[in-house]
Protein backbone atom coordinates (compact mmCIF):
# COMPACT_ATOMS: atom_id res chain seq x y z
CA UNK A 1 0.00 0.00 0.00
CA UNK A 2 1.10 3.61 -0.49
CA UNK A 3 0.35 7.04 0.99
CA UNK A 4 -0.86 9.80 -1.32
CA UNK A 5 -0.82 13.24 0.28
CA UNK A 6 -3.40 15.65 -1.13
CA UNK A 7 -3.77 19.15 0.34
CA UNK A 8 -2.62 17.90 3.73
CA UNK A 9 -5.17 15.06 3.97
CA UNK A 10 -4.24 11.50 4.90
CA UNK A 11 -5.11 9.03 2.17
CA UNK A 12 -4.08 5.38 2.18
CA UNK A 13 -4.47 3.24 -0.95
CA UNK A 14 -3.99 -0.51 -1.11
CA UNK A 15 -1.70 -2.12 -3.61
CA UNK A 16 -3.49 -3.81 -6.51
CA UNK A 17 -4.63 -7.40 -6.16
CA UNK A 18 -3.94 -9.95 -8.85
CA UNK A 19 -7.50 -11.31 -8.95
CA UNK A 20 -10.94 -10.12 -7.87
CA UNK A 21 -14.25 -11.93 -8.33
CA UNK A 22 -16.46 -10.71 -11.17
CA UNK A 23 -19.65 -12.70 -10.48
CA UNK A 24 -21.23 -14.55 -7.60
CA UNK A 25 -23.26 -13.92 -4.40
CA UNK A 26 -23.60 -10.60 -2.58
CA UNK A 27 -21.43 -11.78 0.32
CA UNK A 28 -19.43 -14.65 1.69
CA UNK A 29 -19.66 -17.02 4.63
CA UNK A 30 -17.34 -15.87 7.47
CA UNK A 31 -14.21 -17.99 7.00
CA UNK A 32 -13.39 -18.03 10.72
CA UNK A 33 -16.93 -17.63 12.02
CA UNK A 34 -16.16 -14.07 13.17
CA UNK A 35 -17.14 -10.71 11.77
CA UNK A 36 -14.75 -7.79 11.36
CA UNK A 37 -16.28 -6.10 14.42
CA UNK A 38 -15.69 -9.20 16.57
CA UNK A 39 -12.08 -9.47 15.37
CA UNK A 40 -11.48 -5.79 16.13
CA UNK A 41 -12.80 -6.20 19.67
CA UNK A 42 -10.60 -9.26 20.27
CA UNK A 43 -7.50 -7.39 19.03
CA UNK A 44 -8.23 -4.24 21.02
CA UNK A 45 -5.80 -5.18 23.81
CA UNK A 46 -2.95 -5.49 21.31
CA UNK A 47 -3.39 -1.94 20.02
CA UNK A 48 -1.39 0.97 21.44
CA UNK A 49 -3.02 3.09 24.10
CA UNK A 50 -5.50 5.57 22.61
CA UNK A 51 -5.66 3.80 19.23
CA UNK A 52 -9.02 3.50 17.52
CA UNK A 53 -10.56 0.02 17.87
CA UNK A 54 -12.65 0.27 14.70
CA UNK A 55 -10.21 2.10 12.46
CA UNK A 56 -10.83 0.93 8.84
CA UNK A 57 -7.24 0.25 7.87
CA UNK A 58 -6.55 -0.52 4.24
CA UNK A 59 -6.85 -4.26 3.77
CA UNK A 60 -9.49 -4.77 6.45
CA UNK A 61 -11.75 -7.55 5.16
CA UNK A 62 -15.51 -7.82 5.49
CA UNK A 63 -17.97 -10.55 4.64
CA UNK A 64 -20.61 -8.18 3.25
CA UNK A 65 -20.81 -4.58 2.14
CA UNK A 66 -23.24 -3.83 4.97
CA UNK A 67 -20.69 -5.09 7.48
CA UNK A 68 -18.17 -2.63 6.09
CA UNK A 69 -20.71 0.16 6.47
CA UNK A 70 -21.38 -0.75 10.11
CA UNK A 71 -17.64 -0.95 10.84
CA UNK A 72 -16.98 2.49 9.35
CA UNK A 73 -20.03 3.86 11.16
CA UNK A 74 -18.56 2.80 14.51
CA UNK A 75 -15.37 4.63 13.61
CA UNK A 76 -17.34 7.74 12.62
CA UNK A 77 -19.27 7.69 15.93
CA UNK A 78 -16.03 7.88 17.87
CA UNK A 79 -14.60 10.61 15.62
CA UNK A 80 -17.80 12.69 15.49
CA UNK A 81 -19.17 12.61 11.93
CA UNK A 82 -21.81 10.78 9.94
CA UNK A 83 -21.53 8.59 6.84
CA UNK A 84 -23.61 7.59 3.84
CA UNK A 85 -23.31 5.38 0.80
CA UNK A 86 -21.59 6.93 -2.20
CA UNK A 87 -20.84 5.75 -5.70
CA UNK A 88 -20.76 2.09 -6.63
CA UNK A 89 -19.86 0.02 -9.66
CA UNK A 90 -21.78 -2.96 -11.04
CA UNK A 91 -20.48 -5.03 -13.98
CA UNK A 92 -22.42 -6.57 -16.86
CA UNK A 93 -23.20 -9.63 -14.75
CA UNK A 94 -25.10 -7.41 -12.21
CA UNK A 95 -22.29 -8.09 -9.76
CA UNK A 96 -21.31 -5.11 -7.62
CA UNK A 97 -17.53 -4.80 -7.54
CA UNK A 98 -17.00 -1.43 -5.82
CA UNK A 99 -18.73 0.62 -3.15
CA UNK A 100 -17.74 4.00 -1.72
CA UNK A 101 -18.85 4.94 1.80
CA UNK A 102 -18.42 8.66 2.31
CA UNK A 103 -18.63 11.31 4.97
CA UNK A 104 -22.15 12.79 5.24
CA UNK A 105 -20.66 16.18 4.29
CA UNK A 106 -19.25 14.89 1.00
CA UNK A 107 -20.36 16.62 -2.19
CA UNK A 108 -21.88 20.08 -2.55
CA UNK A 109 -25.34 21.40 -1.71
CA UNK A 110 -27.73 22.04 -4.62
CA UNK A 111 -27.87 25.64 -5.79
CA UNK A 112 -30.22 27.71 -3.64
CA UNK A 113 -30.52 25.10 -0.86
CA UNK A 114 -28.64 25.91 2.32
CA UNK A 115 -30.33 23.44 4.69
CA UNK A 116 -27.77 20.65 4.09
CA UNK A 117 -24.30 20.46 5.64
CA UNK A 118 -22.43 19.25 2.57
CA UNK A 119 -19.08 20.95 2.34
CA UNK A 120 -17.21 18.86 -0.23
CA UNK A 121 -15.53 16.70 2.43
CA UNK A 122 -13.36 13.94 0.88
CA UNK A 123 -13.22 11.59 3.88
CA UNK A 124 -14.28 8.11 2.76
CA UNK A 125 -13.46 4.43 2.40
CA UNK A 126 -13.59 2.44 -0.81
CA UNK A 127 -14.59 -1.22 -0.70
CA UNK A 128 -13.59 -3.62 -3.47
CA UNK A 129 -14.41 -7.27 -4.03
CA UNK A 130 -12.08 -10.04 -2.98
CA UNK A 131 -11.63 -13.32 -4.81
CA UNK A 132 -13.86 -15.17 -2.30
CA UNK A 133 -16.80 -12.74 -2.83
CA UNK A 134 -15.98 -10.76 0.28
CA UNK A 135 -15.03 -7.07 0.54
CA UNK A 136 -11.89 -5.26 1.64
CA UNK A 137 -10.88 -1.63 2.25
CA UNK A 138 -8.89 -0.49 -0.80
CA UNK A 139 -8.80 3.23 0.02
CA UNK A 140 -9.08 5.21 3.24
CA UNK A 141 -9.25 9.01 3.40
CA UNK A 142 -9.33 10.19 7.01
CA UNK A 143 -9.05 13.99 6.96
CA UNK A 144 -12.18 16.16 7.09
CA UNK A 145 -12.63 19.78 5.98
CA UNK A 146 -15.32 20.60 8.57
CA UNK A 147 -15.70 20.68 12.32
CA UNK A 148 -16.42 17.33 13.95
CA UNK A 149 -19.22 16.80 16.46
CA UNK A 150 -18.51 16.79 20.16
CA UNK A 151 -20.29 14.45 22.57
CA UNK A 152 -23.14 12.00 22.12
CA UNK A 153 -25.81 14.69 21.89
CA UNK A 154 -24.27 16.23 18.77
CA UNK A 155 -23.06 13.01 17.16
CA UNK A 156 -26.40 11.26 17.21
CA UNK A 157 -27.92 14.05 15.10
CA UNK A 158 -26.21 12.50 12.07
CA UNK A 159 -28.57 10.23 10.16
CA UNK A 160 -26.18 7.27 10.25
CA UNK A 161 -26.14 7.38 14.08
CA UNK A 162 -29.78 8.26 14.56
CA UNK A 163 -30.96 4.70 13.95
CA UNK A 164 -32.78 2.07 15.95
CA UNK A 165 -31.18 -1.38 15.88
CA UNK A 166 -33.27 -4.60 15.59
CA UNK A 167 -32.97 -5.42 19.30
CA UNK A 168 -34.32 -2.00 20.25
CA UNK A 169 -37.07 -2.33 17.62
CA UNK A 170 -38.33 -5.57 19.19
CA UNK A 171 -38.21 -3.99 22.64
CA UNK A 172 -40.15 -0.93 21.43
CA UNK A 173 -42.74 -3.10 19.66
CA UNK A 174 -43.45 -5.04 22.86
CA UNK A 175 -43.63 -1.90 25.00
CA UNK A 176 -45.90 -0.07 22.53
CA UNK A 177 -48.31 -2.98 22.75
CA UNK A 178 -48.76 -2.17 26.45
CA UNK A 179 -49.80 1.46 25.79
CA UNK A 180 -46.68 3.07 27.29
CA UNK A 181 -46.40 6.80 26.52
CA UNK A 182 -43.70 8.06 24.15
CA UNK A 183 -41.88 10.11 26.80
CA UNK A 184 -41.86 7.23 29.24
CA UNK A 185 -40.64 4.82 26.57
CA UNK A 186 -37.82 7.12 25.52
CA UNK A 187 -36.66 7.57 29.11
CA UNK A 188 -36.39 3.83 29.87
CA UNK A 189 -34.78 2.64 26.61
CA UNK A 190 -31.29 3.82 27.48
CA UNK A 191 -31.03 2.09 30.84
CA UNK A 192 -32.98 -1.01 29.87
CA UNK A 193 -30.98 -1.85 26.73
CA UNK A 194 -27.62 -0.80 28.19
CA UNK A 195 -27.13 2.36 26.15
CA UNK A 196 -26.47 4.49 29.21
CA UNK A 197 -28.41 7.47 30.50
CA UNK A 198 -29.63 8.52 27.01
CA UNK A 199 -30.99 6.58 24.04
CA UNK A 200 -28.70 6.57 20.97
CA UNK A 201 -31.40 8.16 18.80
CA UNK A 202 -33.70 11.14 18.91
CA UNK A 203 -37.24 11.21 20.24
CA UNK A 204 -38.45 12.31 16.80
CA UNK A 205 -37.12 9.08 15.27
CA UNK A 206 -38.81 7.07 18.03
CA UNK A 207 -42.11 8.86 17.36
CA UNK A 208 -41.91 8.01 13.66
CA UNK A 209 -41.13 4.36 14.41
CA UNK A 210 -44.07 4.08 16.82
CA UNK A 211 -46.37 5.60 14.19
CA UNK A 212 -45.20 3.09 11.56
CA UNK A 213 -45.63 0.21 14.01
CA UNK A 214 -49.14 1.39 14.79
CA UNK A 215 -49.97 1.52 11.08
CA UNK A 216 -48.48 -1.95 10.53
CA UNK A 217 -50.58 -3.23 13.44
CA UNK A 218 -53.72 -1.82 11.83
CA UNK A 219 -52.86 -3.48 8.51
CA UNK A 220 -52.15 -6.76 10.32
CA UNK A 221 -55.45 -6.57 12.20
CA UNK A 222 -57.33 -5.91 8.96
CA UNK A 223 -55.70 -8.90 7.28
CA UNK A 224 -56.60 -11.10 10.25
CA UNK A 225 -60.17 -9.80 10.18
CA UNK A 226 -60.49 -10.52 6.45
CA UNK A 227 -59.09 -14.03 7.00
CA UNK A 228 -61.60 -14.67 9.77
CA UNK A 229 -64.47 -13.38 7.62
CA UNK A 230 -63.31 -15.67 4.82
CA UNK A 231 -63.45 -18.66 7.18
CA UNK A 232 -66.92 -17.58 8.35
CA UNK A 233 -68.08 -17.28 4.74
CA UNK A 234 -66.86 -20.81 4.09
CA UNK A 235 -69.26 -22.15 6.74
CA UNK A 236 -72.02 -19.63 5.95
CA UNK A 237 -72.39 -18.99 2.18
CA UNK A 238 -75.05 -16.35 2.83
CA UNK A 239 -72.65 -14.18 4.84
CA UNK A 240 -72.45 -10.68 3.34
CA UNK A 241 -69.47 -8.37 3.88
CA UNK A 242 -69.34 -4.64 3.05
CA UNK A 243 -66.01 -2.76 3.17
CA UNK A 244 -65.90 1.04 3.03
CA UNK A 245 -62.59 2.35 1.68
CA UNK A 246 -61.21 5.80 0.98
CA UNK A 247 -57.99 6.41 -0.96
CA UNK A 248 -56.94 2.79 -0.50
CA UNK A 249 -57.55 2.79 3.27
CA UNK A 250 -60.26 0.80 5.03
CA UNK A 251 -62.67 3.06 6.92
CA UNK A 252 -65.15 0.47 8.15
CA UNK A 253 -66.13 -3.19 7.75
CA UNK A 254 -69.73 -4.35 8.10
CA UNK A 255 -70.77 -7.98 7.93
CA UNK A 256 -74.02 -9.84 8.44
CA UNK A 257 -74.38 -13.60 8.63
CA UNK A 258 -77.08 -15.44 6.71
CA UNK A 259 -78.39 -17.50 9.61
CA UNK A 260 -81.94 -17.14 10.90
CA UNK A 261 -81.36 -14.55 13.62
CA UNK A 262 -85.02 -14.53 14.69
CA UNK A 263 -84.94 -18.26 15.37
CA UNK A 264 -81.70 -17.87 17.32
CA UNK A 265 -83.20 -15.02 19.37
CA UNK A 266 -86.35 -17.01 20.06
CA UNK A 267 -84.36 -19.99 21.33
CA UNK A 268 -82.24 -17.71 23.54
CA UNK A 269 -85.29 -15.96 25.00
CA UNK A 270 -86.90 -19.25 25.93
CA UNK A 271 -83.95 -20.19 28.10
CA UNK A 272 -82.88 -16.81 29.48
CA UNK A 273 -86.25 -14.98 29.75
CA UNK A 274 -88.93 -17.69 29.88
CA UNK A 275 -91.66 -15.29 31.00
CA UNK A 276 -91.43 -13.03 27.94
CA UNK A 277 -93.15 -13.09 24.55
CA UNK A 278 -90.98 -12.81 21.45
CA UNK A 279 -92.36 -10.51 18.75
CA UNK A 280 -91.01 -9.71 15.31
CA UNK A 281 -90.36 -6.06 14.51
CA UNK A 282 -93.06 -4.53 12.30
CA UNK A 283 -90.55 -2.25 10.58
CA UNK A 284 -88.43 -5.24 9.51
CA UNK A 285 -91.54 -7.10 8.32
CA UNK A 286 -92.50 -4.25 6.01
CA UNK A 287 -88.94 -3.67 4.80
CA UNK A 288 -88.41 -7.36 3.98
CA UNK A 289 -91.77 -7.48 2.21
CA UNK A 290 -90.70 -4.64 -0.07
CA UNK A 291 -87.43 -6.44 -0.85
CA UNK A 292 -89.06 -9.83 -1.49
CA UNK A 293 -92.14 -8.48 -3.28
CA UNK A 294 -90.59 -5.60 -5.17
CA UNK A 295 -92.31 -6.56 -8.42
CA UNK A 296 -95.75 -6.53 -6.80
CA UNK A 297 -95.03 -3.16 -5.15
CA UNK A 298 -94.10 -1.59 -8.49
CA UNK A 299 -96.82 -3.28 -10.56
CA UNK A 300 -99.83 -2.63 -8.29
CA UNK A 301 -100.03 0.84 -6.79
CA UNK A 302 -102.66 -0.17 -4.21
CA UNK A 303 -100.81 -3.17 -2.80
CA UNK A 304 -98.60 -1.15 -0.47
CA UNK A 305 -101.53 0.67 1.13
CA UNK A 306 -103.59 -2.49 1.64
CA UNK A 307 -100.74 -4.66 2.88
CA UNK A 308 -99.44 -2.03 5.30
CA UNK A 309 -102.99 -1.49 6.61
CA UNK A 310 -103.33 -5.24 7.16
CA UNK A 311 -100.09 -5.38 9.17
CA UNK A 312 -100.62 -2.15 11.09
CA UNK A 313 -104.34 -1.65 11.69
CA UNK A 314 -106.23 -4.96 11.81
CA UNK A 315 -106.50 -6.45 15.32
CA UNK A 316 -109.47 -8.84 14.89
CA UNK A 317 -108.36 -12.41 14.01
CA UNK A 318 -111.37 -13.15 11.78
CA UNK A 319 -111.02 -9.89 9.90
CA UNK A 320 -107.26 -10.48 9.54
CA UNK A 321 -107.74 -13.93 8.01
CA UNK A 322 -110.37 -12.62 5.59
CA UNK A 323 -108.34 -9.61 4.48
CA UNK A 324 -105.19 -11.73 4.13
CA UNK A 325 -106.88 -14.26 1.83
CA UNK A 326 -108.43 -11.48 -0.25
CA UNK A 327 -105.16 -9.60 -0.75
CA UNK A 328 -103.19 -12.74 -1.61
CA UNK A 329 -105.78 -13.75 -4.18
CA UNK A 330 -106.19 -10.38 -5.88
CA UNK A 331 -102.44 -9.74 -6.15
CA UNK A 332 -101.59 -13.32 -7.23
CA UNK A 333 -99.41 -14.12 -4.23
CA UNK A 334 -100.87 -17.52 -3.41
CA UNK A 335 -97.98 -20.00 -3.25
CA UNK A 336 -95.29 -17.34 -2.93
CA UNK A 337 -92.55 -18.82 -0.66
CA UNK A 338 -92.01 -15.61 1.29
CA UNK A 339 -95.75 -15.05 1.82
CA UNK A 340 -96.23 -18.68 2.90
CA UNK A 341 -93.47 -18.39 5.47
CA UNK A 342 -94.76 -15.04 6.70
CA UNK A 343 -98.27 -16.44 7.17
CA UNK A 344 -96.98 -19.55 8.91
CA UNK A 345 -95.37 -17.33 11.57
CA UNK A 346 -98.13 -14.72 11.72
CA UNK A 347 -98.48 -15.25 15.48
CA UNK A 348 -95.00 -13.70 15.79
CA UNK A 349 -95.96 -10.35 14.26
CA UNK A 350 -99.69 -9.94 13.50
CA UNK A 351 -101.60 -7.65 15.90
CA UNK A 352 -104.61 -9.95 16.43
CA UNK A 353 -102.35 -12.40 18.25
CA UNK A 354 -100.99 -9.78 20.64
CA UNK A 355 -104.23 -8.19 21.90
CA UNK A 356 -103.75 -9.76 25.33
CA UNK A 357 -100.04 -8.86 25.61
CA UNK A 358 -98.92 -5.50 27.03
CA UNK A 359 -96.21 -4.07 24.75
CA UNK A 360 -96.03 -0.50 26.01
CA UNK A 361 -97.02 0.85 22.61
CA UNK A 362 -93.99 -0.73 20.93
CA UNK A 363 -94.27 -2.84 17.79
CA UNK A 364 -90.80 -2.21 16.33
CA UNK A 365 -87.26 -1.87 17.64
CA UNK A 366 -87.30 1.82 16.73
CA UNK A 367 -89.90 2.52 19.42
CA UNK A 368 -87.50 1.24 22.11
CA UNK A 369 -85.09 4.05 21.23
CA UNK A 370 -87.93 6.54 21.66
CA UNK A 371 -88.81 5.00 25.01
CA UNK A 372 -85.19 5.17 26.13
CA UNK A 373 -85.08 8.82 25.12
CA UNK A 374 -88.21 9.53 27.15
CA UNK A 375 -86.73 7.77 30.16
CA UNK A 376 -83.52 9.79 29.77
CA UNK A 377 -85.27 13.16 29.48
CA UNK A 378 -87.53 12.44 32.46
CA UNK A 379 -84.91 10.70 34.58
CA UNK A 380 -85.79 12.90 37.56
CA UNK A 381 -89.41 11.71 37.57
CA UNK A 382 -90.44 8.82 39.86
CA UNK A 383 -90.40 5.42 38.07
CA UNK A 384 -94.02 4.77 39.03
CA UNK A 385 -95.10 7.99 37.32
CA UNK A 386 -93.34 7.03 34.10
CA UNK A 387 -95.03 3.65 34.11
CA UNK A 388 -98.43 5.26 34.72
CA UNK A 389 -97.94 7.64 31.79
CA UNK A 390 -96.81 4.81 29.53
CA UNK A 391 -99.75 2.60 30.43
CA UNK A 392 -102.22 5.47 30.05
CA UNK A 393 -100.92 6.20 26.57
CA UNK A 394 -101.00 2.50 25.67
CA UNK A 395 -104.58 2.18 26.98
CA UNK A 396 -105.74 5.11 24.88
CA UNK A 397 -104.03 3.90 21.69
CA UNK A 398 -105.03 0.28 22.17
CA UNK A 399 -108.70 0.89 22.93
CA UNK A 400 -109.02 3.43 20.13
CA UNK A 401 -107.75 0.91 17.56
CA UNK A 402 -110.10 -1.74 18.88
CA UNK A 403 -113.09 0.60 18.80
CA UNK A 404 -112.38 1.62 15.23
CA UNK A 405 -112.02 -1.97 14.00
CA UNK A 406 -114.63 -3.91 15.97
CA UNK A 407 -116.67 -1.37 17.91
CA UNK A 408 -115.68 -3.04 21.20
CA UNK A 409 -113.74 -1.40 24.00
CA UNK A 410 -111.30 -4.01 25.29
CA UNK A 411 -109.11 -2.64 28.12
CA UNK A 412 -105.55 -3.67 28.88
CA UNK A 413 -105.34 -6.62 31.24
CA UNK A 414 -105.27 -5.73 34.89
CA UNK A 415 -102.38 -8.09 35.49
CA UNK A 416 -100.08 -6.00 33.30
CA UNK A 417 -101.17 -2.83 35.11
CA UNK A 418 -100.43 -4.37 38.48
CA UNK A 419 -97.06 -5.58 37.19
CA UNK A 420 -95.92 -2.18 35.98
CA UNK A 421 -97.30 -0.24 38.96
CA UNK A 422 -95.62 -2.27 41.66
CA UNK A 423 -93.60 -0.04 44.01
CA UNK A 424 -89.91 0.13 43.03
Amino acid sequence: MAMQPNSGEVEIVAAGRSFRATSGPAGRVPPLGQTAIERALRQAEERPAGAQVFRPEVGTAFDTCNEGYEFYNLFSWKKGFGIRYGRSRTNSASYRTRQDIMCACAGNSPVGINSTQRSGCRAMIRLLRSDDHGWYVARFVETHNHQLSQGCGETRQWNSHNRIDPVARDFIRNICGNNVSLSRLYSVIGGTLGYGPAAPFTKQLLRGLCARMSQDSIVDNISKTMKLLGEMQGSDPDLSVCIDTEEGRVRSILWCNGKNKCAAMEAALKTTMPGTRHRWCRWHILRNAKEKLGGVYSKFCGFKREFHSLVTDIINPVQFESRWADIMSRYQLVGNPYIERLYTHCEMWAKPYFTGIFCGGMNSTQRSESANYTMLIQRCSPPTLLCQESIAKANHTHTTEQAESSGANIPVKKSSKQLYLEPC
Side-chain angles (χ1 to χ4, degrees), residues 287-337:
R287 186 193 66 174
N288 292 338
K290 189 172 183 180
E291 292 179 356
K292 302 293 184 179
L293 307 174
V296 180
Y297 270 80
S298 59
K299 184 177 181 180
F300 303 102
C301 59
F303 174 77
K304 177 179 179 180
R305 184 185 69 258
E306 294 188 41
F307 183 75
H308 284 218
S309 176
L310 175 66
V311 175
T312 305
D313 301 331
I314 304 301
I315 62 174
N316 183 279
V318 177
Q319 188 178 4
F320 175 83
E321 296 288 344
S322 175
R323 291 280 298 275
W324 179 273
D326 178 60
I327 292 175
M328 298 304 114
S329 175
R330 285 191 294 109
Y331 293 104
Q332 304 174 5
L333 291 174
V334 178
N336 184 281

Side-chain angles (χ1 to χ4, degrees), residues 21-303:
T22 57
S23 63
R28 67 179 180 185
V29 178
L32 300 178
Q34 296 179 353
T35 65
I37 296 176
E38 292 174 339
R39 292 194 297 269
L41 291 174
R42 292 179 180 275
Q43 299 171 2
E45 296 182 354
E46 303 176 1
R47 295 177 179 270
Q52 291 285 346
V53 176
F54 300 108
R55 182 181 173 85
E57 303 286 359
V58 170
T60 304
F62 306 105
D63 299 320
T64 63
C65 181
N66 185 64
E67 183 182 342
Y69 177 92
E70 296 296 338
F71 192 93
Y72 191 37
N73 198 40
L74 290 173
F75 173 77
S76 67
W77 169 266
K78 187 66 176 180
K79 295 287 290 184
F81 66 98
I83 63 172
R84 59 184 174 86
Y85 282 106
R87 294 180 178 178
S88 63
R89 178 180 296 169
T90 303
N91 61 18
S92 58
S94 300
Y95 185 75
R96 188 167 45 162
T97 59
R98 191 189 82 180
Q99 178 66 62
D100 292 345
I101 304 177
M102 314 166 66
C103 173
C105 294
N108 298 314
S109 302
V111 178
I113 299 179
N114 299 322
S115 59
T116 65
Q117 296 184 359
R118 297 189 179 185
S119 59
C121 182
R122 299 188 61 186
M124 53 89 74
I125 63 171
R126 173 166 295 171
L127 302 181
L128 296 180
R129 284 284 192 168
S130 58
D131 54 358
D132 57 355
H133 306 296
W135 298 80
Y136 69 93
V137 179
R139 183 181 182 186
F140 174 37
V141 181
E142 186 175 3
T143 305
H144 298 263
N145 66 352
H146 57 88
Q147 185 177 1
L148 300 178
S149 301
Q150 302 295 325
C152 296
E154 293 184 8
T155 306
R156 69 182 178 184
Q157 300 300 321
W158 297 98
N159 290 336
S160 63
H161 302 306
N162 190 23
R163 298 184 303 161
I164 303 178
D165 59 74
V167 176
R169 284 175 178 268
D170 292 338
F171 177 80
I172 294 170
R173 181 176 291 105
N174 294 331
I175 296 298
C176 286
N178 295 322
N179 296 325
V180 178
S181 64
L182 181 67
S183 299
R184 179 62 177 169
L185 176 61
Y186 187 74
S187 64
V188 301
I189 285 178
T192 305
L193 299 181
Y195 292 125
F201 43 82
T202 62
K203 185 180 291 187
Q204 182 179 2
L205 181 65
L206 178 62
R207 181 182 293 107
L209 176 62
C210 292
R212 290 193 298 272
M213 287 183 175
S214 177
Q215 184 65 29
D216 293 342
S217 177
I218 294 174
V219 174
D220 183 56
N221 290 339
I222 292 177
S223 62
K224 291 180 180 179
T225 301
M226 297 307 299
K227 180 180 179 180
L228 178 61
L229 290 174
E231 295 175 355
M232 293 171 58
Q233 201 162 25
S235 58
D236 183 10
D238 294 329
L239 176 73
S240 58
V241 182
C242 181
I243 304 176
D244 183 18
T245 61
E246 181 179 1
E247 297 180 357
R249 295 183 298 178
V250 177
R251 296 180 57 188
S252 61
I253 302 177
L254 178 65
W255 68 92
C256 179
N257 57 30
K259 298 180 180 179
N260 191 334
K261 293 176 281 297
C262 289
M265 183 184 297
E266 182 179 3
L269 289 174
K270 287 181 179 180
T271 58
T272 58
M273 304 176 67
T276 61
R277 176 73 182 273
H278 182 206
R279 183 177 183 177
W280 289 1
C281 172
R282 184 190 65 179
W283 181 83
H284 287 91
I285 292 292
L286 298 177
R287 186 193 66 174
N288 292 338
K290 189 172 183 180
E291 292 179 356
K292 302 293 184 179
L293 307 174
V296 180
Y297 270 80
S298 59
K299 184 177 181 180
F300 303 102
C301 59
F303 174 77

Side-chain angles (χ1 to χ4, degrees), residues 345-384:
H345 298 87
C346 63
E347 72 280 357
M348 299 294 296
W349 57 270
K351 272 191 174 184
Y353 303 99
F354 288 89
T355 55
I357 304 298
F358 176 72
C359 300
M362 292 188 296
N363 50 26
S364 71
T365 55
Q366 291 176 323
R367 293 295 297 273
S368 64
E369 299 176 5
S370 177
N372 291 337
Y373 176 78
T374 303
M375 297 288 288
L376 178 63
I377 294 300
Q378 303 181 13
R379 59 184 179 275
C380 297
S381 303
T384 305

